[in-house]
Amino acid sequence: MALYPRECQLLNRVPGAVLHLMGQAVQVPAADSGAPVQAAETVRQLQALATPAGRAALTRAAELLAARTDAVTALARLRGEVGVELAGPAWGTARQREKARPAFGADTDRLLFTGDTLEQAGRPVLADRRAARLLAAGAASVADLGCAAGTDTMALARAGARVVAVDRDPVARELTRLNTAALGFTDVEVRDADVVDLVAAAEGGRVAGCDAAVLDPARRAGGRRLLDPDRWSPPWSTVQHLLATVPQTVVKVAPGLDHDRVPAGVEAEWVSVGGSIVEALLWGSAPSATWRRATVVGRDGVVHELTADADPGGAPVGPVRGWLHEPDPAVIRSGLVAVVAVELGATLVDPTIAYLTGDSPAVPPWVTSYPVTDVVPFNLKKLKALLRSRGIGRVTVKKRGSPIEPETLARQLRGPGGATAVVVVTRVAGAPTVLLCQAPSRGSPRACEG
Ligand SMILES: C[S@@+](CC[C@H](N)C(=O)[O-])C[C@H]1O[C@@H](n2cnc3c(N)ncnc32)[C@H](O)[C@@H]1O
């Protein structure tokens, strides 16, 4: 969790050594001081960036970044202009802000991030939505259990809650302190505690002295996703205990969470933005309103919700008809394909594959519809010949239930023809099959093009 990653990586290597970095002598911390020393140094740098001189350094770093100045030149200039203490942290933070800008918008230039906390941060627009729903269930105070850079804390404060932001990482606590102050939120207490202990001590429907909670466990370690919820921090047992003891709760979980893990009486929601899953949520018994919810946020920002009060079971299966419907991933992950099938009068092409087929196109948002021109067994040579006979030289490849590599197949199918098509490689009644389709009338397919 460093503001100036490359130098910090070097600093980790040889404890006790003196390195000369960009003309500056830096002593590597002793082996036994490691992470706490680095965290203390990062906290000190963050505090320096929050001073008027630090803000000026950040402005200058942003200008150099906007002018596409290379890192070595920019750091040399910054050291000359704002001093060696601020140069590296300002440059590192300016770079993090550029990554944060698409999600954090106008607030970006008032906020501080480290690489780690930005990687773990949710989207503010979705944090606002979660906060509004949680507070609508009657909460006035909310514990943000694992606040990182404070995305949820800021959303909760913006929605009018008193917030207790908890993290055991000192850098996260400092970021939350500085970021909430920068946005002018005063009703925020930042606390050093272990969420496992706080949740174990929850009683009377309250945790950390608050009547509601947001829990967003860390689901990565060493740059890799932790697929096993028992290895999240805090682990699944804490998630379960919080949902069982604090009714006004929302927990962010991995989109791949097994439905069997969802406790009874807990609503599970999957959210997609622009056709990609971005988060999955478990709602405590107070805000829970249904069994499952698929929330689809369109590219235009409009939010659509599909719900089912009970498991709809599997959709009926039938032969491929004139249109292929590709369900949005939030619909698939939430187990609501059968609900959409009934709505569209559609059937599955195969009992194990989430592609639907019907006689007419469907309007968004639950599916993208493609007109089917051909249904052929999967055979590369014959497929190439078919495309050539139609003058199709570029294809978008989609696949479900097939081991093929879409990028590779799209390249293999490239030809001289000027026409385009969508090649869907899947199983139909158990057999490897290609559905040759035209591009959808609305929106554009999201697979790889050759
Ligand atoms: C996924 S991040 C939270 C991200 C945040 N909600 C956001 O959108 O910016 C998880 C945070 O929980 C903290 N954490 C993990 N285990 C913890 C524990 N047992 N006690 C306190 N904090 C913990 C981590 O330090 C990390 O900052």
Side-chain angles (χ1 to χ4, degrees):
M1 193 171 279
L3 287 176
Y4 195 16
R6 201 175 300 162
E7 290 189 3
C8 286
Q9 278 166 20
L10 286 171
L11 287 174
N12 279 334
R13 276 189 199 144
V14 192
V18 175
L19 297 172
H20 291 272
L21 298 167
M22 323 286 300
Q24 194 187 353
V26 182
Q27 176 145 37
V28 178
D32 58 352
S33 54
V37 169
Q38 202 180 92
E41 173 59 10
T42 306
V43 166
R44 195 191 61 71
Q45 292 176 342
L46 290 170
Q47 289 167 345
L49 288 175
T51 63
R55 282 195 289 273
L58 280 165
T59 303
R60 184 67 188 120
E63 287 167 3
L64 290 166
L65 204 54
R68 297 176 176 271
T69 316
D70 69 84
V72 172
T73 309
L75 281 162
R77 283 205 203 150
L78 280 171
R79 274 202 307 278
E81 294 175 25
V82 305
V84 287
E85 287 285 310
L86 286 170
W91 180 249
T93 302
R95 291 177 52 155
Q96 297 304 337
R97 279 182 172 173
E98 283 320 296
K99 289 187 204 152
R101 197 172 301 285
F104 285 80
D107 285 339
T108 307
D109 290 322
R110 293 194 281 166
L111 302 177
L112 299 173
F113 305 95
T114 58
D116 283 359
T117 54
L118 187 58
E119 196 174 273
Q120 299 191 76
R123 296 174 183 225
V125 63
L126 297 181
D128 286 343
R129 188 177 162 272
R130 276 197 304 279
R133 183 167 171 197
L134 195 60
L135 297 190
S141 56
V142 186
D144 180 5
L145 302 173
C147 56
T151 319
D152 283 290
T153 298
M154 291 183 273
L156 292 161
R158 202 162 23 237
R162 178 176 75 78
V163 189
V164 174
V166 178
D167 211 296
R168 62 183 180 188
D169 175 356
V171 174
R173 292 196 300 278
E174 194 59 35
L175 283 167
T176 298
R177 224 175 260 127
L178 295 172
N179 286 342
T180 50
L183 295 193
F185 299 125
T186 50
D187 215 359
V188 174
E189 179 200 338
V190 181
R191 207 182 279 180
D192 176 8
D194 190 321
V195 170
V196 174
D197 298 339
L198 288 179
V199 173
E203 57 179 357
R206 293 168 63 80
V207 61
C210 298
D211 37 45
V214 173
L215 173 59
D216 182 6
R219 299 182 296 278
R220 282 176 174 273
R224 304 182 71 152
R225 282 210 174 93
L226 298 171
L227 298 178
D228 178 359
D230 295 327
R231 298 184 59 211
W232 296 349
S233 183
W236 182 251
S237 54
T238 298
V239 173
Q240 277 179 307
H241 193 66
L242 182 71
L243 287 165
T245 53
V246 181
Q248 300 197 66
T249 287
V250 59
V251 183
K252 260 175 91 174
V253 294
L257 186 82
D258 196 330
H259 280 249
D260 291 346
R261 290 231 183 214
V262 181
V266 163
E267 174 188 325
E269 176 183 15
W270 277 264
V271 182
S272 72
V273 177
S276 301
I277 287 277
V278 292
E279 64 182 37
L281 306 169
L282 301 181
W283 293 93
S285 59
S288 273
T290 189
W291 175 73
R292 297 288 185 266
R293 185 183 303 262
T295 299
V296 175
V297 184
R299 290 175 212 279
D300 51 7
V302 177
V303 177
H304 306 267
E305 297 184 4
L306 180 73
T307 60
D309 290 338
D311 187 347
V317 183
V320 178
R321 291 183 264 165
W323 289 81
L324 179 76
H325 305 304
E326 181 186 30
D328 183 274
V331 171
I332 297 173
R333 280 300 315 151
S334 58
L336 301 184
V337 172
V339 175
V340 171
V342 170
E343 205 174 283
L344 302 181
T347 45
L348 290 171
V349 300
D350 184 283
T352 61
I353 303 286
Y355 278 135
L356 291 166
T357 182
D359 296 323
S360 51
V363 287
W366 312 128
V367 298
T368 306
S369 299
Y370 301 82
V372 181
T373 58
D374 300 84
V375 182
V376 293
F378 182 73
N379 177 306
L380 185 58
K381 217 168 141 191
K382 287 185 179 169
L383 181 56
K384 275 183 176 170
L386 175 64
L387 295 177
R388 262 198 309 278
S389 74
R390 299 280 165 80
I392 297 168
R394 283 192 170 252
V395 297
T396 296
V397 175
K398 292 177 159 287
K399 68 146 190 175
R400 195 158 282 161
S402 164
I404 61 116
E405 265 296 321
E407 292 84 359
T408 309
L409 184 60
R411 261 196 314 276
Q412 288 171 328
L413 294 176
R414 211 177 276 176
T420 61
V422 179
V423 168
V424 179
V425 186
T426 187
R427 280 199 304 271
V428 171
T433 302
V434 170
L435 310 182
L436 187 59
C437 303
Q438 290 167 10
S441 43
R442 290 185 197 211
S444 53
R446 276 168 278 104
C448 44
E449 286 186 15

